[in-house]
Amino acid sequence: METIWFIILGVLLTLFVVLDGFDFGTGIIYLWLAKNNTERRTVLTAIGPIWDGNEVWLIIGGGTLFFAFPSAYASIFSGYYLALILLLWLLIFRGLSMELRSQLSDPLWHNFWDTLLVIASIAITLVLGVALGNVLRGVPLEADGFFFLPLWTDFMTGDHPGILDWYTLLTGLFAIALFVVHGANFIALKTGQAIQQRARQISRGGNYFVALFMLILPFATHYVQPTFMQNYAQHPLGILLPILAASTLVLMFIMRSKDNDLYAFAASVSFIVLLLLSVAFSIYPNMLIATTHSIHNLTIYNTATSAYALQTGLIWFSIGAPLALIYTLYMYRSFRGKVVLSDDDEGY
């Protein structure tokens, strides 16, 4: 039962990364994609109706972690309190930048919110990438299951690192490169003419940065966390996951060279899904890895709630989750196709 909830949590977080990843990426390259007010309204209209719906999956993921693995939830929210509050404020500022921009027809007002959108999108993506790096590297868990991390120490890994070190910064920069490509693929799919051409150029160039990070990160991860390959050694079939992820990265290059926007976007979606599956496979059954001693690891077994609660929760989850999924599918169906901006459009 613990494994089922580990898979559910992984699926929910993957949905969040895939869906919100492209609108974070769009925010990062927003000022490079759109050169005038009409183009900026077009880009915002592409992500405006769906960005808040995408973040529903982060809330569901957080709720699932709280319900199924309360000890891990307590440890994570205690140890990463500063980082999580920072993430919350960045999400608020990003939402405000999209929703308040159109409230005044003043270039200074527009430029302020446009700049804030870019800064918030970069910072959120960096925080998410650094968070993934912390999960892979491990944290200084003590015997009571809790830990404290300063924002940074000497930028080196080890038994007592900070949230930021050379490795977690590397994963943060990788997340930015990946979301830029993912966002550019989405905008190329949703727009036309000049914006589409710029998005294709950004996607084409960004693919090389993603590939460069993928050449470095496996070795860096193995260096900072030697147990990273342990599950792959015990279950060799699991190696198919990173191989398939690498194949979809090649596909991203091929589809972009043909300017096939739909398949290029599908390839970046597949790459993110397979990459996160590879990470989940490598850390299972750990929720948090201890840099102090492996006996302090927080696993799905020593952090899960009672078996009865997990079984009962699964019944309610099987009712509620499909409703959220149907809502998401309906939302994307309602806003399918290319963005068409008319003079009487409201909101963006």
Side-chain angles (χ1 to χ4, degrees), residues 139-146 286 288-299 302:
V139 295
L141 283 163
E142 301 295 341
D144 60 2
F146 288 89
N286 295 304
L288 273 180
I289 299 171
T291 55
T292 48
H293 195 289
S294 60
I295 198 172
H296 297 153
N297 286 357
L298 294 183
T299 70
N302 63 18

Side-chain angles (χ1 to χ4, degrees), residues 316-339:
W316 287 105
F317 182 83
S318 62
I319 297 171
L323 295 176
L325 191 60
I326 290 169
Y327 164 76
T328 300
L329 293 173
Y330 175 77
M331 178 178 69
Y332 276 88
R333 180 177 169 76
S334 300
F335 297 102
R336 66 186 183 280
K338 297 279 187 184
V339 173

